[in-house]
Amino acid sequence: SQAILRAETAPEIRGRAFGLMGSFIGTGAAAGPLLGGVVTALAGWQGVFLVNVPIVAAALIGVAPVTGTEVAEQRTGSTDRLRHVLTTRTYTAAFLTQSTTTFGQYSLLLAIPMVLDARGWGSGRVGAALVTLTAGMVLMGPVGGRAGDRRGRRWPVVTGVALATAAMTLATATVEAGWVGLVIAMTVFGFGLGFAVPSVQIAALESVPTHFAGSAAGVLSVSRYTGSIPASVVLAVLVSDGGDGAMTLVAVASVAMAVALWAASRLPSRTPTEGD
């Protein structure tokens, strides 16, 4: 989907397009914890898996009529494509930015429910609390995308990641103190991440030729797993069922966000034109 969007939109409006797509993705992410909390409260944890059946069916129906712009075929092997993608400085900076911010995002999404559950919150309330993180992504995606169109890809990413890093620092300070600070931290983190993500994705795809966009989008999606899987592993090592150790996990995530801020500073400062 990202490769199609990159091929079919002009550079001057590409940020808005990716921001809108990110907003829809954020809507799904916001609905997930809320719906999951309600279903778990009503039908137990097994009911969560049944929710995916109608959602996947609707997705298949939705993508059936979609056609993408065909680009000129370039006869290069998959190894050459991968090498070209991974050795592009802008692409690697975008990959690292998305990987480390995803580590921070999942650290919050995985640890905070355990902390709130230990404080007596039900699954429905926990799901509602997690919506505060994704709500910012829904609202700020289009705004951040337009900022990238006007001011170049680097500025909205650095600004958004800096805001998310500050929020992670707040979460570190408040994770054992009370729920108010955690909810504020999640909300601010979501606003910062939502502002940054569209320009991260566009910077990565614009850094390679159009006929490599599919490969670039596929590899970029891996960055989410290189962030989320380590977050899950660190959670299992550091955090107990009662939420003890959550502060250490969030502190590690703060370091990851600092790395993300450095990587974001390596992105290009200008928006390319159609001839680039």
Side-chain angles (χ1 to χ4, degrees):
S1 60
Q2 292 178 349
I4 292 172
L5 204 59
R6 189 256 191 256
E8 292 193 339
T9 55
E12 61 270 15
I13 62 168
R14 196 168 286 150
R16 291 175 238 180
F18 271 78
L20 186 60
M21 182 176 71
S23 199
F24 280 110
I25 292 173
T27 300
L34 185 61
L35 181 60
V38 173
V39 171
T40 301
L42 295 177
W45 62 266
Q46 297 90 338
V48 172
F49 298 97
L50 295 177
V51 172
N52 292 323
V53 176
I55 291 175
V56 171
L60 290 173
I61 294 172
V63 302
V66 175
T67 59
T69 300
E70 295 184 4
V71 297
E73 180 183 1
Q74 176 135 336
R75 297 186 180 278
T76 54
S78 57
T79 302
D80 292 334
R81 285 172 176 262
L82 187 60
R83 185 183 301 113
H84 182 94
V85 167
L86 293 179
T87 56
T88 304
R89 171 180 160 177
T90 297
Y91 188 91
T92 54
F95 187 100
L96 182 58
T97 301
Q98 183 154 287
S99 177
T100 47
T101 54
T102 301
F103 184 96
Q105 179 185 4
Y106 273 77
S107 295
L108 293 178
L109 288 175
L110 294 173
I112 288 180
M114 298 176 68
V115 172
L116 295 179
D117 180 71
R119 294 174 182 172
W121 288 44
S123 57
R125 289 183 68 195
V126 172
L130 294 180
V131 169
T132 62
L133 191 154
T134 49
M137 299 177 66
V138 174
L139 296 173
M140 297 305 294
V143 178
R146 286 195 295 270
D149 289 337
R150 294 194 305 266
R151 304 189 60 170
R153 307 307 181 199
R154 182 194 301 164
W155 183 84
V157 180
V158 170
T159 302
V161 172
L163 186 61
T165 302
M168 190 66 71
T169 303
L170 174 62
T172 304
T174 60
V175 69
E176 296 182 354
W179 64 269
V180 176
L182 286 179
V183 172
I184 293 174
M186 286 193 297
T187 303
V188 175
F189 186 94
F191 272 82
L193 193 62
F195 192 73
V197 164
S199 292
V200 173
Q201 296 172 340
I202 301 168
L205 298 186
E206 287 178 335
S207 69
V208 301
T210 303
H211 53 268
F212 282 176
S215 299
V219 174
L220 186 65
S221 68
V222 175
S223 67
R224 297 188 180 278
Y225 303 106
T226 59
S228 60
I229 293 174
S232 303
V233 173
V234 175
L235 173 84
V237 171
L238 296 178
V239 184
S240 67
D241 290 341
D244 295 332
M247 184 173 70
T248 305
L249 171 62
V250 179
V252 172
S254 296
V255 176
M257 293 302 298
V259 174
L261 190 57
W262 173 83
S265 70
R266 313 296 290 175
L267 295 175
S269 60
R270 72 181 185 91
T271 302
T273 59
E274 192 57 71
D276 289 357

